[in-house]
PDB file of all heavy atoms in Angstrom:
ATOM      1  N   LEU A  28       1.567  -9.463   1.248  1.00  0.00           N
ATOM      2  CA  LEU A  28       2.802 -10.239   1.312  1.00  0.00           C
ATOM      3  C   LEU A  28       3.910  -9.263   1.685  1.00  0.00           C
ATOM      4  O   LEU A  28       3.827  -8.069   1.399  1.00  0.00           O
ATOM      5  CB  LEU A  28       3.100 -10.889  -0.039  1.00  0.00           C
ATOM      6  CG  LEU A  28       2.086 -11.931  -0.509  1.00  0.00           C
ATOM      7  CD1 LEU A  28       2.466 -12.443  -1.891  1.00  0.00           C
ATOM      8  CD2 LEU A  28       1.975 -13.075   0.477  1.00  0.00           C
ATOM      9  N   THR A  29       4.942  -9.753   2.330  1.00  0.00           N
ATOM     10  CA  THR A  29       5.980  -8.851   2.802  1.00  0.00           C
ATOM     11  C   THR A  29       7.321  -9.099   2.135  1.00  0.00           C
ATOM     12  O   THR A  29       7.645 -10.212   1.745  1.00  0.00           O
ATOM     13  CB  THR A  29       6.173  -8.983   4.331  1.00  0.00           C
ATOM     14  OG1 THR A  29       6.515 -10.332   4.636  1.00  0.00           O
ATOM     15  CG2 THR A  29       4.929  -8.591   5.084  1.00  0.00           C
ATOM     16  N   LEU A  30       8.050  -8.036   2.018  1.00  0.00           N
ATOM     17  CA  LEU A  30       9.464  -8.081   1.657  1.00  0.00           C
ATOM     18  C   LEU A  30      10.147  -7.466   2.862  1.00  0.00           C
ATOM     19  O   LEU A  30      10.027  -6.277   3.111  1.00  0.00           O
ATOM     20  CB  LEU A  30       9.741  -7.252   0.405  1.00  0.00           C
ATOM     21  CG  LEU A  30       9.163  -7.787  -0.894  1.00  0.00           C
ATOM     22  CD1 LEU A  30       9.428  -6.818  -2.031  1.00  0.00           C
ATOM     23  CD2 LEU A  30       9.756  -9.142  -1.231  1.00  0.00           C
ATOM     24  N   GLY A  31      10.797  -8.287   3.642  1.00  0.00           N
ATOM     25  CA  GLY A  31      11.303  -7.797   4.920  1.00  0.00           C
ATOM     26  C   GLY A  31      10.157  -7.765   5.914  1.00  0.00           C
ATOM     27  O   GLY A  31       9.444  -8.746   6.065  1.00  0.00           O
ATOM     28  N   GLU A  32       9.936  -6.622   6.550  1.00  0.00           N
ATOM     29  CA  GLU A  32       8.891  -6.516   7.569  1.00  0.00           C
ATOM     30  C   GLU A  32       7.668  -5.727   7.122  1.00  0.00           C
ATOM     31  O   GLU A  32       6.702  -5.622   7.863  1.00  0.00           O
ATOM     32  CB  GLU A  32       9.485  -5.869   8.826  1.00  0.00           C
ATOM     33  CG  GLU A  32      10.568  -6.713   9.467  1.00  0.00           C
ATOM     34  CD  GLU A  32      11.125  -6.072  10.722  1.00  0.00           C
ATOM     35  OE1 GLU A  32      10.485  -5.173  11.274  1.00  0.00           O
ATOM     36  OE2 GLU A  32      12.208  -6.491  11.143  1.00  0.00           O
ATOM     37  N   THR A  33       7.697  -5.162   5.925  1.00  0.00           N
ATOM     38  CA  THR A  33       6.636  -4.276   5.474  1.00  0.00           C
ATOM     39  C   THR A  33       5.819  -4.918   4.361  1.00  0.00           C
ATOM     40  O   THR A  33       6.377  -5.465   3.413  1.00  0.00           O
ATOM     41  CB  THR A  33       7.237  -2.952   4.963  1.00  0.00           C
ATOM     42  OG1 THR A  33       8.069  -2.404   5.982  1.00  0.00           O
ATOM     43  CG2 THR A  33       6.157  -1.952   4.625  1.00  0.00           C
ATOM     44  N   ALA A  34       4.496  -4.809   4.476  1.00  0.00           N
ATOM     45  CA  ALA A  34       3.612  -5.330   3.428  1.00  0.00           C
ATOM     46  C   ALA A  34       3.816  -4.526   2.145  1.00  0.00           C
ATOM     47  O   ALA A  34       4.090  -3.319   2.178  1.00  0.00           O
ATOM     48  CB  ALA A  34       2.158  -5.232   3.874  1.00  0.00           C
ATOM     49  N   LEU A  35       3.667  -5.186   1.004  1.00  0.00           N
ATOM     50  CA  LEU A  35       3.871  -4.533  -0.285  1.00  0.00           C
ATOM     51  C   LEU A  35       2.999  -3.292  -0.441  1.00  0.00           C
ATOM     52  O   LEU A  35       3.479  -2.251  -0.901  1.00  0.00           O
ATOM     53  CB  LEU A  35       3.566  -5.517  -1.422  1.00  0.00           C
ATOM     54  CG  LEU A  35       4.514  -6.698  -1.554  1.00  0.00           C
ATOM     55  CD1 LEU A  35       4.008  -7.657  -2.630  1.00  0.00           C
ATOM     56  CD2 LEU A  35       5.911  -6.233  -1.884  1.00  0.00           C
ATOM     57  N   ILE A  36       1.731  -3.371  -0.057  1.00  0.00           N
ATOM     58  CA  ILE A  36       0.839  -2.219  -0.224  1.00  0.00           C
ATOM     59  C   ILE A  36       1.264  -1.065   0.667  1.00  0.00           C
ATOM     60  O   ILE A  36       1.214   0.097   0.261  1.00  0.00           O
ATOM     61  CB  ILE A  36      -0.652  -2.615   0.000  1.00  0.00           C
ATOM     62  CG1 ILE A  36      -1.589  -1.481  -0.403  1.00  0.00           C
ATOM     63  CG2 ILE A  36      -0.901  -3.054   1.430  1.00  0.00           C
ATOM     64  CD1 ILE A  36      -1.626  -1.177  -1.862  1.00  0.00           C
ATOM     65  N   GLU A  37       1.702  -1.360   1.881  1.00  0.00           N
ATOM     66  CA  GLU A  37       2.146  -0.294   2.785  1.00  0.00           C
ATOM     67  C   GLU A  37       3.421   0.369   2.269  1.00  0.00           C
ATOM     68  O   GLU A  37       3.551   1.595   2.322  1.00  0.00           O
ATOM     69  CB  GLU A  37       2.342  -0.847   4.193  1.00  0.00           C
ATOM     70  CG  GLU A  37       1.031  -1.252   4.835  1.00  0.00           C
ATOM     71  CD  GLU A  37       1.206  -2.011   6.142  1.00  0.00           C
ATOM     72  OE1 GLU A  37       2.267  -2.655   6.339  1.00  0.00           O
ATOM     73  OE2 GLU A  37       0.291  -1.953   6.957  1.00  0.00           O
ATOM     74  N   ALA A  38       4.350  -0.414   1.763  1.00  0.00           N
ATOM     75  CA  ALA A  38       5.579   0.149   1.198  1.00  0.00           C
ATOM     76  C   ALA A  38       5.258   1.007  -0.025  1.00  0.00           C
ATOM     77  O   ALA A  38       5.838   2.080  -0.213  1.00  0.00           O
ATOM     78  CB  ALA A  38       6.548  -0.971   0.829  1.00  0.00           C
ATOM     79  N   SER A  39       4.323   0.551  -0.839  1.00  0.00           N
ATOM     80  CA  SER A  39       3.941   1.297  -2.035  1.00  0.00           C
ATOM     81  C   SER A  39       3.292   2.629  -1.676  1.00  0.00           C
ATOM     82  O   SER A  39       3.599   3.660  -2.287  1.00  0.00           O
ATOM     83  CB  SER A  39       2.979   0.466  -2.891  1.00  0.00           C
ATOM     84  OG  SER A  39       3.624  -0.702  -3.334  1.00  0.00           O
ATOM     85  N   ILE A  40       2.409   2.619  -0.684  1.00  0.00           N
ATOM     86  CA  ILE A  40       1.765   3.856  -0.252  1.00  0.00           C
ATOM     87  C   ILE A  40       2.805   4.820   0.311  1.00  0.00           C
ATOM     88  O   ILE A  40       2.787   6.023  -0.001  1.00  0.00           O
ATOM     89  CB  ILE A  40       0.658   3.564   0.783  1.00  0.00           C
ATOM     90  CG1 ILE A  40      -0.504   2.842   0.101  1.00  0.00           C
ATOM     91  CG2 ILE A  40       0.186   4.851   1.457  1.00  0.00           C
ATOM     92  CD1 ILE A  40      -1.539   2.293   1.062  1.00  0.00           C
ATOM     93  N   GLU A  41       3.717   4.315   1.106  1.00  0.00           N
ATOM     94  CA  GLU A  41       4.756   5.175   1.680  1.00  0.00           C
ATOM     95  C   GLU A  41       5.610   5.819   0.587  1.00  0.00           C
ATOM     96  O   GLU A  41       5.928   7.007   0.652  1.00  0.00           O
ATOM     97  CB  GLU A  41       5.631   4.382   2.642  1.00  0.00           C
ATOM     98  CG  GLU A  41       6.631   5.271   3.359  1.00  0.00           C
ATOM     99  CD  GLU A  41       7.281   4.603   4.544  1.00  0.00           C
ATOM    100  OE1 GLU A  41       6.591   3.861   5.262  1.00  0.00           O
ATOM    101  OE2 GLU A  41       8.479   4.837   4.735  1.00  0.00           O
ATOM    102  N   LYS A  42       5.956   5.055  -0.428  1.00  0.00           N
ATOM    103  CA  LYS A  42       6.745   5.611  -1.532  1.00  0.00           C
ATOM    104  C   LYS A  42       5.960   6.689  -2.281  1.00  0.00           C
ATOM    105  O   LYS A  42       6.526   7.705  -2.689  1.00  0.00           O
ATOM    106  CB  LYS A  42       7.194   4.510  -2.480  1.00  0.00           C
ATOM    107  CG  LYS A  42       8.269   3.633  -1.872  1.00  0.00           C
ATOM    108  CD  LYS A  42       8.670   2.509  -2.796  1.00  0.00           C
ATOM    109  CE  LYS A  42       9.547   1.554  -2.040  1.00  0.00           C
ATOM    110  NZ  LYS A  42      10.841   1.371  -2.570  1.00  0.00           N
ATOM    111  N   CYS A  43       4.672   6.481  -2.437  1.00  0.00           N
ATOM    112  CA  CYS A  43       3.841   7.498  -3.081  1.00  0.00           C
ATOM    113  C   CYS A  43       3.830   8.785  -2.264  1.00  0.00           C
ATOM    114  O   CYS A  43       3.995   9.883  -2.817  1.00  0.00           O
ATOM    115  CB  CYS A  43       2.406   6.992  -3.250  1.00  0.00           C
ATOM    116  SG  CYS A  43       2.195   5.780  -4.558  1.00  0.00           S
ATOM    117  N   LEU A  44       3.646   8.661  -0.965  1.00  0.00           N
ATOM    118  CA  LEU A  44       3.632   9.839  -0.098  1.00  0.00           C
ATOM    119  C   LEU A  44       4.967  10.576  -0.145  1.00  0.00           C
ATOM    120  O   LEU A  44       5.004  11.809  -0.200  1.00  0.00           O
ATOM    121  CB  LEU A  44       3.271   9.443   1.331  1.00  0.00           C
ATOM    122  CG  LEU A  44       1.867   8.868   1.529  1.00  0.00           C
ATOM    123  CD1 LEU A  44       1.685   8.376   2.955  1.00  0.00           C
ATOM    124  CD2 LEU A  44       0.803   9.884   1.152  1.00  0.00           C
ATOM    125  N   MET A  45       6.065   9.851  -0.155  1.00  0.00           N
ATOM    126  CA  MET A  45       7.386  10.466  -0.221  1.00  0.00           C
ATOM    127  C   MET A  45       7.608  11.179  -1.562  1.00  0.00           C
ATOM    128  O   MET A  45       8.372  12.126  -1.650  1.00  0.00           O
ATOM    129  CB  MET A  45       8.484   9.433   0.011  1.00  0.00           C
ATOM    130  CG  MET A  45       8.523   8.930   1.439  1.00  0.00           C
ATOM    131  SD  MET A  45       9.915   7.833   1.880  1.00  0.00           S
ATOM    132  CE  MET A  45      10.207   6.864   0.444  1.00  0.00           C
ATOM    133  N   ALA A  46       6.893  10.726  -2.605  1.00  0.00           N
ATOM    134  CA  ALA A  46       7.016  11.331  -3.931  1.00  0.00           C
ATOM    135  C   ALA A  46       6.050  12.506  -4.123  1.00  0.00           C
ATOM    136  O   ALA A  46       5.980  13.075  -5.209  1.00  0.00           O
ATOM    137  CB  ALA A  46       6.775  10.274  -5.002  1.00  0.00           C
ATOM    138  N   GLY A  47       5.294  12.844  -3.090  1.00  0.00           N
ATOM    139  CA  GLY A  47       4.393  13.985  -3.181  1.00  0.00           C
ATOM    140  C   GLY A  47       2.966  13.661  -3.553  1.00  0.00           C
ATOM    141  O   GLY A  47       2.156  14.565  -3.769  1.00  0.00           O
ATOM    142  N   ILE A  48       2.632  12.399  -3.652  1.00  0.00           N
ATOM    143  CA  ILE A  48       1.246  12.000  -3.922  1.00  0.00           C
ATOM    144  C   ILE A  48       0.409  12.354  -2.696  1.00  0.00           C
ATOM    145  O   ILE A  48       0.780  12.012  -1.575  1.00  0.00           O
ATOM    146  CB  ILE A  48       1.153  10.485  -4.213  1.00  0.00           C
ATOM    147  CG1 ILE A  48       2.018  10.094  -5.405  1.00  0.00           C
ATOM    148  CG2 ILE A  48      -0.285  10.032  -4.383  1.00  0.00           C
ATOM    149  CD1 ILE A  48       1.577  10.630  -6.737  1.00  0.00           C
ATOM    150  N   THR A  49      -0.701  13.029  -2.903  1.00  0.00           N
ATOM    151  CA  THR A  49      -1.528  13.453  -1.775  1.00  0.00           C
ATOM    152  C   THR A  49      -2.805  12.649  -1.616  1.00  0.00           C
ATOM    153  O   THR A  49      -3.469  12.737  -0.591  1.00  0.00           O
ATOM    154  CB  THR A  49      -1.903  14.944  -1.918  1.00  0.00           C
ATOM    155  OG1 THR A  49      -2.576  15.135  -3.174  1.00  0.00           O
ATOM    156  CG2 THR A  49      -0.667  15.821  -1.859  1.00  0.00           C
ATOM    157  N   GLN A  50      -3.157  11.873  -2.620  1.00  0.00           N
ATOM    158  CA  GLN A  50      -4.370  11.061  -2.549  1.00  0.00           C
ATOM    159  C   GLN A  50      -4.059   9.664  -3.072  1.00  0.00           C
ATOM    160  O   GLN A  50      -3.502   9.511  -4.156  1.00  0.00           O
ATOM    161  CB  GLN A  50      -5.493  11.676  -3.369  1.00  0.00           C
ATOM    162  CG  GLN A  50      -6.790  10.930  -3.277  1.00  0.00           C
ATOM    163  CD  GLN A  50      -7.926  11.657  -3.996  1.00  0.00           C
ATOM    164  OE1 GLN A  50      -7.751  12.728  -4.533  1.00  0.00           O
ATOM    165  NE2 GLN A  50      -9.082  11.053  -4.025  1.00  0.00           N
ATOM    166  N   VAL A  51      -4.435   8.648  -2.292  1.00  0.00           N
ATOM    167  CA  VAL A  51      -4.240   7.258  -2.684  1.00  0.00           C
ATOM    168  C   VAL A  51      -5.591   6.560  -2.652  1.00  0.00           C
ATOM    169  O   VAL A  51      -6.311   6.625  -1.653  1.00  0.00           O
ATOM    170  CB  VAL A  51      -3.249   6.537  -1.728  1.00  0.00           C
ATOM    171  CG1 VAL A  51      -3.154   5.065  -2.064  1.00  0.00           C
ATOM    172  CG2 VAL A  51      -1.884   7.197  -1.784  1.00  0.00           C
ATOM    173  N   MET A  52      -5.930   5.914  -3.744  1.00  0.00           N
ATOM    174  CA  MET A  52      -7.171   5.133  -3.822  1.00  0.00           C
ATOM    175  C   MET A  52      -6.797   3.678  -4.082  1.00  0.00           C
ATOM    176  O   MET A  52      -5.876   3.404  -4.855  1.00  0.00           O
ATOM    177  CB  MET A  52      -8.064   5.647  -4.935  1.00  0.00           C
ATOM    178  CG  MET A  52      -8.573   7.055  -4.692  1.00  0.00           C
ATOM    179  SD  MET A  52      -9.746   7.587  -5.933  1.00  0.00           S
ATOM    180  CE  MET A  52      -8.630   8.113  -7.219  1.00  0.00           C
ATOM    181  N   ILE A  53      -7.522   2.771  -3.425  1.00  0.00           N
ATOM    182  CA  ILE A  53      -7.272   1.343  -3.608  1.00  0.00           C
ATOM    183  C   ILE A  53      -8.584   0.671  -3.978  1.00  0.00           C
ATOM    184  O   ILE A  53      -9.539   0.681  -3.199  1.00  0.00           O
ATOM    185  CB  ILE A  53      -6.700   0.695  -2.328  1.00  0.00           C
ATOM    186  CG1 ILE A  53      -5.444   1.428  -1.869  1.00  0.00           C
ATOM    187  CG2 ILE A  53      -6.408  -0.787  -2.572  1.00  0.00           C
ATOM    188  CD1 ILE A  53      -4.918   0.974  -0.516  1.00  0.00           C
ATOM    189  N   GLY A  54      -8.636   0.105  -5.167  1.00  0.00           N
ATOM    190  CA  GLY A  54      -9.795  -0.676  -5.588  1.00  0.00           C
ATOM    191  C   GLY A  54      -9.614  -2.093  -5.085  1.00  0.00           C
ATOM    192  O   GLY A  54      -8.643  -2.757  -5.435  1.00  0.00           O
ATOM    193  N   THR A  55     -10.514  -2.529  -4.221  1.00  0.00           N
ATOM    194  CA  THR A  55     -10.362  -3.849  -3.610  1.00  0.00           C
ATOM    195  C   THR A  55     -11.485  -4.779  -4.022  1.00  0.00           C
ATOM    196  O   THR A  55     -12.492  -4.371  -4.568  1.00  0.00           O
ATOM    197  CB  THR A  55     -10.341  -3.748  -2.072  1.00  0.00           C
ATOM    198  OG1 THR A  55     -11.600  -3.248  -1.630  1.00  0.00           O
ATOM    199  CG2 THR A  55      -9.225  -2.857  -1.600  1.00  0.00           C
ATOM    200  N   GLY A  56     -11.309  -6.024  -3.729  1.00  0.00           N
ATOM    201  CA  GLY A  56     -12.299  -7.060  -3.994  1.00  0.00           C
ATOM    202  C   GLY A  56     -12.014  -8.219  -3.060  1.00  0.00           C
ATOM    203  O   GLY A  56     -12.554  -8.306  -1.970  1.00  0.00           O
ATOM    204  N   TYR A  57     -11.066  -9.058  -3.462  1.00  0.00           N
ATOM    205  CA  TYR A  57     -10.701 -10.245  -2.693  1.00  0.00           C
ATOM    206  C   TYR A  57     -10.214  -9.842  -1.303  1.00  0.00           C
ATOM    207  O   TYR A  57      -9.269  -9.076  -1.164  1.00  0.00           O
ATOM    208  CB  TYR A  57      -9.616 -11.021  -3.441  1.00  0.00           C
ATOM    209  CG  TYR A  57      -9.069 -12.226  -2.707  1.00  0.00           C
ATOM    210  CD1 TYR A  57      -9.877 -13.336  -2.485  1.00  0.00           C
ATOM    211  CD2 TYR A  57      -7.766 -12.253  -2.252  1.00  0.00           C
ATOM    212  CE1 TYR A  57      -9.377 -14.444  -1.827  1.00  0.00           C
ATOM    213  CE2 TYR A  57      -7.262 -13.356  -1.596  1.00  0.00           C
ATOM    214  CZ  TYR A  57      -8.075 -14.450  -1.380  1.00  0.00           C
ATOM    215  OH  TYR A  57      -7.579 -15.543  -0.729  1.00  0.00           O
ATOM    216  N   GLN A  58     -10.873 -10.344  -0.294  1.00  0.00           N
ATOM    217  CA  GLN A  58     -10.532 -10.104   1.109  1.00  0.00           C
ATOM    218  C   GLN A  58     -10.311  -8.616   1.393  1.00  0.00           C
ATOM    219  O   GLN A  58      -9.331  -8.205   2.011  1.00  0.00           O
ATOM    220  CB  GLN A  58      -9.321 -10.952   1.519  1.00  0.00           C
ATOM    221  CG  GLN A  58      -9.629 -12.432   1.457  1.00  0.00           C
ATOM    222  CD  GLN A  58      -8.603 -13.277   2.180  1.00  0.00           C
ATOM    223  OE1 GLN A  58      -7.770 -12.795   2.922  1.00  0.00           O
ATOM    224  NE2 GLN A  58      -8.695 -14.588   1.967  1.00  0.00           N
ATOM    225  N   SER A  59     -11.256  -7.807   0.961  1.00  0.00           N
ATOM    226  CA  SER A  59     -11.140  -6.352   1.079  1.00  0.00           C
ATOM    227  C   SER A  59     -11.008  -5.863   2.517  1.00  0.00           C
ATOM    228  O   SER A  59     -10.470  -4.780   2.761  1.00  0.00           O
ATOM    229  CB  SER A  59     -12.329  -5.674   0.400  1.00  0.00           C
ATOM    230  OG  SER A  59     -13.542  -6.080   1.024  1.00  0.00           O
ATOM    231  N   GLN A  60     -11.438  -6.644   3.482  1.00  0.00           N
ATOM    232  CA  GLN A  60     -11.336  -6.230   4.884  1.00  0.00           C
ATOM    233  C   GLN A  60      -9.889  -5.965   5.297  1.00  0.00           C
ATOM    234  O   GLN A  60      -9.629  -5.178   6.207  1.00  0.00           O
ATOM    235  CB  GLN A  60     -11.999  -7.252   5.822  1.00  0.00           C
ATOM    236  CG  GLN A  60     -11.281  -8.579   5.956  1.00  0.00           C
ATOM    237  CD  GLN A  60     -11.582  -9.604   4.856  1.00  0.00           C
ATOM    238  OE1 GLN A  60     -12.231  -9.312   3.865  1.00  0.00           O
ATOM    239  NE2 GLN A  60     -11.095 -10.829   5.048  1.00  0.00           N
TER     240      GLN A  60
END
């Protein structure tokens, strides 16, 4: 889902990277593709 033009997961990952997070893992299930 988007807030503005960016998907929530993409915005969240970007914020993590900007905060110095070097590894991001996503546990998926529903529509994992």
Side-chain angles (χ1 to χ4, degrees):
L28 296 177
T29 59
L30 291 176
E32 296 181 17
T33 306
L35 293 174
I36 190 68
E37 292 171 334
S39 297
I40 291 170
E41 186 166 322
K42 288 178 190 240
C43 285
L44 296 174
M45 290 187 324
I48 301 293
T49 57
Q50 183 174 358
V51 175
M52 295 185 278
I53 305 172
T55 64
Y57 176 68
Q58 296 195 12
S59 61
Q60 70 277 8

